[in-house]
Every structure is written in C-alpha cells, then in structure tokens.
Amino acid sequence: MLHILPASKNPLKYISSGHLLSNDGFLHPRRNLDTHVLLLGLKGTMYITQGKTQWQLKPNTYIVLFAGMEHYGYKPSEGELSYLWCHFQTKQRNPKFLHTDEVINLINNTSNENRDNMLLDTYILSEFGELSDHARVELCYHQLLDIAREKPYSHFISDYALSLLVLEISNQYFCFATSNAIERNKSKQRITEIIEWLRTHHVEDCSLQNLAERFHYHPTYLSAAFAKNTGLTLVRYVKKLRIDTAKDLLLKTDDTVAQIALASGFSDDKTFMKAFKE
C-alpha cells in the first residue's frame, strides 16, 4: 500500500467536494487527474482500482486516489451506494511514495523526544484505511461541505477545513499504528520470557500445550507468535536447545548415549539419534 507524507505546516489546497449517491450499478469512470481525491465510504461498496491494486470502499473506510495515477471502477456497485469525495492538491506536486513498512518504521523509530519535529508535522495520506472513529471524520467532512457551499469570504477557510479533516484521518492512522507497535513489543517481551525459561527448562515438558498454560496463551496464538519472533517453530527451537545440551555432554562426560539423551530432554536414545542426525 502506498502513502504520501506532505508537510502539515502548509494547508492543503481545496479544489472541490461532493456527495455521491447511487441506487445501483455505479461504475467509477477511468481517469488520471492532476489532483488527489479523498473518498469516505458511507453506505454500500464501491469497487475501484488504482495502479494495479483493487480496493473496496465501504462504510468506515477511506481511499486516497493519488494525482497522476490512473484509477477506474473494476466492478459495478450492488444496491445503494453513498460516499463523500473531495479533490485537493498538496504544495508538493511530486511527492515521494512510501510503502506501509516504511511508514510504520518511521512511526516506530520516532522517539517521544523528537516526535514533534518529525511525524506530527506531516499529513499521513494512505491509499486505503479503516477508521477507528468514523463519526469524527464524517463530522469534519460535512463541515467542509457546508463551508464550501457557503462560498466563504476567503478560500483559505476551505483549505483549513480540509486540512483539519485530513489531520483527523492522519491522527487515527498514527494512533492505530502506535498501538499496534506497543502490542507487538509486548508480544516480543513475552516471547523473550518464554525463551529464557526454555533455556533452563528445555529438558522438561516443553510441549505447546504446557507452555500455553504456563504463560497464559492460546496454543495457536503462541505457536504463531513464537515463529514470528524467532523464525523457528517451538518444536524446532526446543530440539535445537536439547541438541546443543547433548553436544556439550558428549564432549565433557563419559555418559552413555542413552543417559545423555535423557539428560538432554529426549524421551529415548533412538529419538535423540534421529534428531542428532537431522
């Protein structure tokens, strides 16, 4: 997914806005514009392609169609369709596109001390997003529509109303990304605790079920989280620890293979020899 992060010290340039309503079968025309377009889904589903990616605009979601990129409907809508739209420009006409992992890394690497000088002075315009508080965004959108219809004495009023709308969307994206980062860090810390426990208890019962009960995880979640954080399945990780222990005992003791197998956590010497061969 693509993102642009124009500087928020400058207001966005409002061009036009409106509310699309369709009873059935709406298909977005094929276009390539010199303006960005912000779409906010209210009812039904609009099917639209940008570049080579297909998106679905639904309630509680938004889409940004970027200037200079072709977009078109790939499938007619079914039933009632309703969404708000706004054409606008940024001061930077040829912004650099960032991928999701780059934006997430920027967010994660921005410390509390320098956040004011980095991310919070940009808009975060994502190609697609889900809203945690749709009502706040819709309120800002309708305020923009009302201001634009009234023909205010200064066009800057529409520019700043639009900028507030996009900053609200940016803030929700930022909060979502940071909360996810916090959860990921918590998960990583818990996996680290499990790894430390395994280093000293790998000769005991290290089954997935036992570890899940001990550390209060669902077995399926623990299995996926462990593999994601270590790059190894739990079974393979425990086997590696046991083999390393067995190697050390083989070098430093005169114990039999059967004794070493049991001391390393294997059920018998045959299981150990098979694992050692692997």
Side-chain angles (χ1 to χ4, degrees):
M1 183 165 61
L2 299 177
H3 312 257
I4 59 174
L5 275 66
S8 58
K9 63 182 179 181
N10 301 306
L12 300 169
K13 175 68 176 174
Y14 171 84
I15 305 298
S16 61
S17 60
H19 186 178
L20 183 135
L21 293 165
S22 173
N23 290 327
D24 193 33
F26 177 79
L27 184 67
H28 199 288
R30 184 181 294 266
R31 298 187 303 189
N32 190 327
L33 303 173
D34 60 357
T35 62
H36 305 296
V37 188
L38 173 62
L39 310 175
L40 178 68
L42 299 180
K43 192 171 185 178
T45 302
M46 182 181 71
Y47 305 92
I48 191 164
T49 295
Q50 175 165 237
K52 296 181 179 180
T53 306
Q54 294 181 339
W55 301 105
Q56 295 183 17
L57 181 68
K58 297 181 178 181
N60 300 323
T61 68
Y62 66 91
I63 289 175
V64 176
L65 304 173
F66 296 116
M69 292 187 67
E70 186 179 54
H71 56 266
Y72 56 91
Y74 66 89
K75 176 182 175 182
S77 62
E78 300 172 358
E80 189 176 349
L81 176 68
S82 172
Y83 67 82
L84 301 172
W85 58 267
C86 179
H87 290 250
F88 65 97
Q89 292 175 334
T90 60
K91 189 169 184 179
Q92 186 181 1
R93 291 303 179 90
N94 297 304
K96 178 185 177 182
F97 287 102
L98 300 176
H99 292 283
T100 301
D101 57 344
E102 294 176 293
V103 176
I104 297 299
N105 285 337
L106 276 174
I107 291 173
N108 292 343
N109 293 332
T110 303
S111 67
N112 291 325
E113 290 76 17
N114 62 14
R115 228 171 232 171
D116 288 341
N117 298 321
M118 293 182 66
L119 278 180
L120 294 192
D121 60 3
T122 69
Y123 303 100
I124 304 177
L125 288 167
S126 303
E127 192 171 11
F128 175 84
E130 297 184 14
L131 298 167
S132 57
D133 192 339
H134 185 274
R136 284 172 64 98
V137 174
E138 189 175 348
L139 179 64
C140 291
Y141 222 127
H142 282 295
Q143 182 180 19
L144 171 63
L145 293 175
D146 289 341
I147 289 172
R149 277 195 294 264
E150 291 172 358
K151 296 182 179 180
Y153 82 97
S154 170
H155 67 85
F156 285 116
I157 299 179
S158 297
D159 292 348
Y160 282 111
L162 167 63
S163 301
L164 176 62
L165 165 64
V166 175
L167 282 171
E168 174 60 37
I169 292 174
S170 302
N171 185 59
Q172 291 192 26
Y173 181 92
F174 182 84
C175 292
F176 174 78
T178 51
S179 64
N180 274 6
I182 290 170
E183 287 303 313
R184 284 195 298 272
N185 287 335
K186 286 182 179 177
S187 175
K188 189 173 183 179
Q189 290 172 2
R190 292 292 285 162
I191 295 301
T192 301
E193 290 176 16
I194 294 173
I195 288 172
E196 290 301 318
W197 186 88
L198 287 172
R199 283 175 181 166
T200 54
H201 297 83
H202 57 270
V203 299
E204 301 174 19
D205 179 4
C206 296
S207 65
L208 178 62
Q209 188 64 40
N210 182 50
L211 285 175
E213 291 176 3
R214 176 179 290 275
F215 290 95
H216 310 293
Y217 275 116
H218 188 281
T220 303
Y221 177 82
L222 174 58
S223 176
F226 193 91
K228 184 176 181 180
N229 281 277
T230 65
L232 296 172
T233 65
L234 179 62
V235 171
R236 186 172 289 275
Y237 190 86
V238 171
K239 187 183 289 185
K240 182 178 181 300
L241 289 175
R242 289 173 174 174
I243 289 293
D244 288 342
T245 298
K247 286 179 180 178
D248 191 54
L249 292 174
L250 284 167
L251 287 170
K252 296 179 179 178
T253 72
D254 294 324
D255 292 345
T256 65
V257 171
Q259 289 172 324
I260 288 174
L262 293 175
S264 303
F266 291 95
S267 57
D268 53 60
D269 54 342
K270 289 183 180 178
T271 305
F272 162 62
M273 286 175 10
K274 182 180 178 182
F276 195 89
K277 250 186 176 181
E278 290 175 356

